[in-house]
Amino acid sequence: MGRLLNVRWIAAALAVLVLAGVCVELGRWQLHRLDDRKARNDVTRANLAAPPAPIDQIVGAQGLVGDQHAWRTAVVTGRYDASQQIVLRYRNVDDRPGFEIVTPLILSNGKAVLVDRGFLARQGAELAPGHIPAVPTGEVSITGRLRRSERGGSTNGGTPDNGTARLINGPDFAKALGLNLYDGYLTVDKQEPANDPDFGAFPGPEIDDGPHFFYALQWFFFALLAIGGLVYFSRQDSRGDTSSSDDEPAAATAEEDKPEEARAGAPD
């Protein structure tokens, strides 16, 4: 029986040690995420401070808007293709649900860039915006912030369907619209002629360290808690075994100290 208990104790101790190790690794993972976020924040601050520049000067000939370009101010000039306008559903700005309107802008070099013209707050329970501001005709000059294509894992939310989509994805839009699109999009800051006032402005980026440091502390605390519990219960078991072993000789000694008559029982 004692051997069985020892095996169970060893198995439980190993399980606790594995659990503690997992907690430590999760804590380290959160610290790595913190480092990544700080590096991304540095890039964002630098991009926000950079002067406006033509889009090709920023992203190069490949037309790929990467994380290193996020929030750079780009300048483009072209004509909107109103026939290919897409309504973005299930969007939120400042905790307000609504829609965003994305329209391709055809540039003089034959390429096109997706332009997020603005946000329209949802009215009541409407499933589509009741009114979409008209697309400006003629040549338009836009100054806006570059954003990389949105991706939703295995979902197809970036593929327009019947004039709507859930994500803004350059390659998926290019296939559906038949345009040579940049891989990324532009949010409007300034536009000539001016953007419609019905559109709401976009918020800026969140530049903070996030909750990763405190999440890491929590995981490290869980690891310490598991190790502390293992040490505590092992000491308790050790004390229990010692008490049991001490009681047995005492009982045996007491039995030996009894008079022979008492040990043998009362005479017949």
Side-chain angles (χ1 to χ4, degrees):
M1 184 68 178
R3 185 175 182 180
L4 180 60
L5 290 176
N6 285 337
V7 171
R8 289 180 178 176
W9 168 249
I10 293 173
L14 289 175
V16 170
L17 291 174
V18 169
L19 176 62
V22 170
C23 290
V24 169
E25 288 302 313
L26 288 172
R28 294 179 59 191
W29 173 63
Q30 287 292 340
L31 291 179
H32 288 314
R33 293 191 65 190
L34 176 60
D35 291 339
D36 291 341
R37 183 155 184 160
K38 287 182 175 180
R40 187 168 63 249
N41 288 342
D42 290 341
V43 172
T44 300
R45 291 189 185 95
N47 287 345
L48 289 173
I55 186 170
D56 283 338
Q57 183 177 320
I58 297 173
V59 303
Q62 291 184 345
L64 173 62
V65 180
D67 290 333
Q68 71 275 23
H69 306 125
W71 301 101
R72 270 296 306 267
T73 302
V75 179
V76 294
T77 300
R79 295 175 179 270
Y80 278 122
D81 185 354
S83 66
Q84 307 252 44
Q85 186 160 260
I86 303 297
V87 176
L88 271 293
R89 301 176 296 168
Y90 309 112
R91 311 297 276 194
N92 284 274
V93 171
D94 296 331
D95 295 327
R96 293 181 302 159
F99 312 91
E100 292 174 20
I101 309 303
V102 175
T103 310
L105 186 75
I106 311 301
L107 309 183
S108 59
N109 60 6
K111 290 184 179 181
V113 60
L114 295 173
V115 177
D116 194 337
R117 296 170 56 210
F119 174 80
L120 299 174
R122 189 176 69 186
Q123 305 299 320
E126 64 181 5
L127 300 178
H131 168 69
I132 298 177
V135 177
T137 59
E139 190 171 82
V140 178
S141 294
I142 298 172
T143 302
R145 301 290 185 178
L146 286 172
R147 306 294 304 276
R148 71 176 182 84
S149 291
E150 299 172 347
R151 295 171 177 82
S154 60
T155 67
N156 60 352
T159 302
D161 181 19
N162 196 26
T164 65
R166 297 186 64 176
L167 304 172
I168 310 175
N169 185 283
D172 288 344
F173 274 50
K175 295 175 184 177
L177 305 181
L179 296 173
N180 182 16
L181 288 169
Y182 287 85
D183 188 351
Y185 66 100
L186 194 69
T187 60
V188 175
D189 279 351
K190 297 178 182 179
Q191 180 178 284
E192 293 293 338
N195 206 14
D196 195 293
D198 286 346
F199 281 123
F202 295 106
E206 295 182 0
I207 305 178
D208 56 46
D209 292 342
H212 305 298
F213 178 73
F214 297 101
Y215 286 165
L217 288 182
Q218 288 179 356
W219 285 118
F220 292 145
F221 173 75
F222 292 151
L224 288 175
L225 196 63
I227 297 297
L230 177 62
V231 171
Y232 173 79
F233 287 111
S234 64
R235 292 184 65 183
Q236 289 295 104
D237 285 355
S238 177
R239 288 176 181 176
D241 292 342
T242 302
S243 299
S244 298
S245 61
D246 289 344
D247 290 343
E248 290 176 1
T253 302
E255 183 67 22
E256 292 176 357
D257 289 343
K258 287 182 180 180
E260 185 177 347
E261 293 82 359
R263 286 188 279 115
D268 293 338

